Structure formats: C-alpha cells, structure tokens
Amino acid sequence: MSFEDYCVITQEDLEDIKDSISTQDLPSAINTIKEYLRQQDLVELNIGVTGESGSGKSTFVNAFRGLGDEDDGSAKTGVVETTAEPEVYLHPKYKNVKVWDLPGIGTPNFKADEYLEQVEFKRYDFFIIIASDRFRECHTHLAKEIMRMGKKFYFVRSKIDFCITAERRKKNFDEKKTLEIIREDSENGLRKIGIEDPVVFLISGWELGKYDLNALQERMEKELPQHKRRVLMLALPNITLEINEKKKKALEENIGKVAFLSACVAAIPLPGLSITADIAIIADELTKYYSAFGLDDPSLQRLCERSGKTVEELKSLMKSPLHQGINPSSILTLLGAASLLISEDAIELLASFIPIIGTLVAGGLSYLTVSRMLKRALNDIADDARNVLIASLETEV
C-alpha cells in the first residue's frame, strides 16, 4: 500500500523532506528547512514593461500588481510620457517582485541597443512590449535586441476593451471573431517587419482577467526558471479561475516543510491533543494563504470597489472555519479534527521513511496532523477564493 493511501501527504512530499535534511541531526535539519523557506521569500522577480507613450504601460504595471491607477503606490498614467528613467514599483504584498515602468520607445532617434543599456537590461527576468495599436519597427528592433541578449519578451496588444466597445456597435458583432481578427492583424504586422512566428497577447489593463491573461501567465511560467515560477504565481492578482488553481498548487509545495518545522520546533504538547506543534508557524502559513488569494481585508476592499459588492456579501460566501479569524482556538479545533484521521500504520510508515521524525515524542503524529490540517485549510481557502471571484465577475462594473 502506498503512503498516499494512508494520508494526504504524497510520496513526493516525503522525498522532498528527506532530500532536504539528508542525514542531519534534528537541530541541523530544522535550520536547513528554515533557511530554505527564508531564501524562497528572497527570490527576486524583475519585470520590465516598455512601449510607446500612451500605450497603457503604466496601467499594466498597476494592474499586474492588483492596483487601480489611483490606488496608493500606483504608477502615474497619462497620454504623454510620464517616465523619463526606469521607475520601479514594488508589489504591495511581495516586495521581492519588482515591476519596472520603462521610458517610452518610438522617438525619432530611438536605438534599441542604447535604450537597453540605458535601462540596465541585465536586471530584468523578462520584458513586456506593449502597443495599443499596431506594432511598429521600434517594437521589433527592441525585441530583436532583447533576443540577441538572451532574454525573453512578450508582445502585448493593450486597450482591447476599447476595441471591443467600438466593434460592439456594429451589426452581427461577434467578440470571439473580433479578437481573432485583432490578434491575426497584430501578428501579421509583426511578420511584415521581421519577426518570425510572433505571438501577441491581447490584454486590457482595466479588465486584466479577461482576454489573454491566462495564456500570457502560462507562457511566462513555462519560460521562467523553476525557483521563480512560484514567485510569479503568488504575485499575480487572483482574477481568473486558472490562476486560483495554480496559486493553490504553488502553496501546496511548502506544506511538508512547514509541517516538519511545526512538529519539530515545538516541544510542549497542545492542550487536549496528543501532538506537539508550533501554532505560530501554522498561523503564519495560513495568513500567507489568505494574502495570496486576495482574501485579506485590504484586497477584499479593492475588489468591492470594482465589483459593487460589500465586504460582508463577499465574506458570506466564505465557508472555511478560519475566515472569522486565524487564532490559536481556531487552529486547535482544526488540528484536533485532523489528528483523529491519522492511523497508526501511517505513523509507522512515516517513521521508517524519515527516522528523524520517528525519534520525536509524538513526532510522526504531529507531522501528519499538521500536514493534513494545512492541506484541508488550503483547499477550503482556495474554494472560498474561487466563490468570491465568481461572484465578483458576475457583478463587475
């Protein structure tokens, strides 16, 4: 019988823990896992956003970070160029994610190589090249130079909501067909000026979750190094069902390590339970879940302003036992429920697989209980986020 038959923790999770701590003693193993989680939060993601003046660069910079153009910390927007030097905008929740609003391109004397040197191209993980109408030679010169320097870029056709609004007035309007025509026209235009096999993503800064956002994030995720993919998924605003699901998967990856820390750091049994666990470590992880899914109060408030719903209406859709508050009492209740589902066989199997956990008093039971509790909590919170997202999309103004 496989380990998964006994518990929600997978064989892969256990291999991951085993690889991380190898043959260390317990204090060293704890420090290794702590350092791994600390380093994970320090991984930087730098995104350069460029295009001609008035193309919607700054609105994209804001929307990517889950902000409106008038929110605190937003990039300045306008029809004239408002950016003379590269300006960095930190993600409001993940300070290691930096979105750079780069100076406009397309001036008469524009030279792609000089421009990239001026904006210090080496610092960026990838570039977003934005046009609100046709792509021109300044865009392709830039793209070729970025390619020559070994970096990735993505062509984004912005302000798609304007195009759709204009076309909607026509008889026999068909949104899908209109989008196909715009995409085909943009890609053909790029072919004519020297880009082979171009891919253009249709995006609206005002309605970022619509159109090609899922396709764009999939491409970015696929082309980023493994350790940066998680950063991207957590930083993206939770505005499509696909992103909601990917955030859940990204957060799941740490459950084994967090459970190990919580079970091994704690030495005092929890009241009424036959396990030891560090409640603070669990509470910190659960808080990260709410923040990543945009279910924290500031994020819900911003969502209400866009959707016309009240915070109370959105909170009424949440079924997770934790949505009233993450505190020792609510965590103990969930741990108690999780511990009842752990079998002796599962504990023995865990101890044989990772002996260091088996040497602890109630170590195996604690580890499995915290793992099960976090998986259950993450599933519930992801479901709540999904329900809130669906409700907000139905009423968005």
Side-chain angles (χ1 to χ4, degrees):
M1 191 177 276
S2 74
F3 197 84
E4 286 93 321
D5 293 325
Y6 286 118
C7 186
V8 290
I9 290 298
T10 64
Q11 191 84 16
E12 205 178 326
D13 293 328
L14 290 181
E15 293 282 2
D16 197 22
I17 290 282
K18 197 177 180 183
D19 289 346
S20 299
I21 62 177
S22 58
T23 55
Q24 296 172 345
D25 58 17
L26 189 59
S28 304
I30 287 169
N31 285 335
T32 298
I33 301 282
K34 274 186 174 172
E35 182 58 18
Y36 174 88
L37 293 172
R38 193 183 76 80
Q39 288 295 335
Q40 199 178 49
D41 289 339
L42 297 177
V43 173
E44 273 199 9
L45 185 64
N46 285 278
I47 301 164
V49 182
T50 186
E52 292 181 277
S53 304
S55 61
K57 286 188 294 117
S58 303
T59 295
F60 181 89
V61 166
N62 294 334
F64 191 89
R65 296 178 301 133
L67 299 176
D69 284 346
E70 294 180 12
D71 288 341
D72 289 344
S74 63
K76 286 180 195 163
T77 58
V79 289
V80 295
E81 182 57 47
T82 54
T83 313
E85 295 290 327
E87 281 196 52
V88 64
Y89 293 92
L90 302 185
H91 194 285
K93 293 177 183 176
Y94 304 97
K95 304 303 179 194
N96 51 324
V97 175
K98 301 174 180 181
V99 187
W100 296 78
D101 194 356
L102 303 182
I105 61 174
T107 54
N109 301 320
F110 175 73
K111 290 188 175 66
D113 54 344
E114 289 175 11
Y115 175 86
L116 286 172
E117 204 171 300
Q118 177 204 340
V119 301
E120 296 179 54
F121 77 94
K122 284 181 183 172
R123 69 158 66 109
Y124 309 104
D125 290 288
F126 57 81
F127 293 83
I128 305 282
I129 302 175
I130 294 184
S132 58
D133 195 359
R134 292 184 181 281
F135 287 97
R136 301 191 305 116
E137 287 191 346
C138 58
H139 300 105
T140 58
H141 288 163
L142 186 60
K144 286 175 180 175
E145 193 63 22
I146 292 169
M147 219 182 321
R148 193 180 70 77
M149 291 170 166
K151 297 272 184 178
K152 297 289 183 188
F153 64 88
Y154 305 97
F155 286 120
V156 164
R157 172 78 189 272
S158 65
K159 303 187 181 181
I160 290 301
D161 49 320
F162 290 0
C163 302
I164 293 298
T165 302
E167 289 294 315
R168 189 169 269 125
R169 299 191 190 106
K170 297 180 180 177
K171 282 183 186 176
N172 305 319
F173 168 73
D174 181 324
E175 183 170 307
K176 193 177 173 190
K177 199 176 281 184
T178 301
L179 292 171
E180 279 171 13
I181 290 168
I182 296 170
R183 187 180 291 106
E184 208 172 289
D185 180 58
S186 299
E187 291 175 352
N188 284 339
L190 283 166
R191 277 189 199 95
K192 282 176 189 167
I193 47 178
I195 298 289
E196 287 179 36
D197 303 321
V199 177
V200 173
F201 299 95
L202 310 183
I203 296 287
S204 160
W206 292 105
E207 301 172 297
L208 191 62
K210 282 189 175 182
Y211 314 116
D212 287 348
L213 179 66
N214 284 323
L216 176 60
Q217 62 85 6
E218 271 173 33
R219 177 65 75 93
M220 292 190 296
E221 187 188 9
K222 192 169 81 174
E223 294 182 344
L224 273 172
Q226 182 68 39
H227 67 296
K228 299 211 176 198
R229 290 176 193 170
R230 179 178 185 275
V231 182
L232 174 71
M233 287 322 305
L234 295 186
L236 280 169
N238 198 49
I239 50 178
T240 74
L241 296 175
E242 288 83 352
I243 290 174
N244 193 77
E245 193 56 31
K246 288 192 172 183
K247 279 182 184 283
K248 185 170 96 167
K249 285 191 174 127
L251 290 163
E252 254 172 10
E253 288 170 10
N254 276 354
I255 284 179
K257 291 185 179 68
V258 173
F260 178 86
L261 270 191
S262 177
C264 296
V265 168
I268 303 164
L270 293 172
L273 297 175
S274 56
I275 66 166
T276 60
D278 188 304
I279 294 283
I281 289 172
I282 297 171
D284 185 55
E285 191 67 6
L286 293 170
T287 303
K288 286 179 184 173
Y289 296 172
Y290 273 92
S291 181
F293 284 110
L295 296 180
D296 53 297
D297 285 344
S299 299
L300 285 175
Q301 193 58 55
R302 277 198 294 272
L303 185 57
C304 289
E305 286 163 15
R306 288 200 299 270
S307 67
K309 295 266 188 189
T310 64
V311 171
E312 290 70 31
E313 280 178 282
L314 294 181
K315 285 194 171 182
S316 72
L317 300 168
M318 298 184 199
K319 306 302 177 203
S320 165
L322 294 162
H323 88 272
Q324 298 289 1
I326 297 167
N327 52 55
S329 171
S330 60
I331 291 172
L332 282 171
T333 303
L334 291 180
L335 284 170
S339 68
L340 298 174
L341 301 168
I342 308 298
S343 71
E344 290 288 328
D345 288 340
I347 297 166
E348 280 177 29
L349 191 58
L350 174 68
S352 68
F353 202 82
I354 309 180
I356 199 168
I357 291 182
T359 62
L360 297 170
V361 177
L365 178 59
S366 301
Y367 172 80
L368 293 175
T369 299
V370 176
S371 300
R372 183 178 278 276
M373 178 260 179
L374 285 173
K375 281 221 170 184
R376 176 67 192 273
L378 177 57
N379 286 339
D380 287 349
I381 294 166
D383 285 348
D384 284 352
R386 182 186 169 88
N387 292 336
V388 165
L389 174 59
I390 290 169
S392 70
L393 292 175
E394 284 168 359
T395 56
E396 201 149 289
V397 288

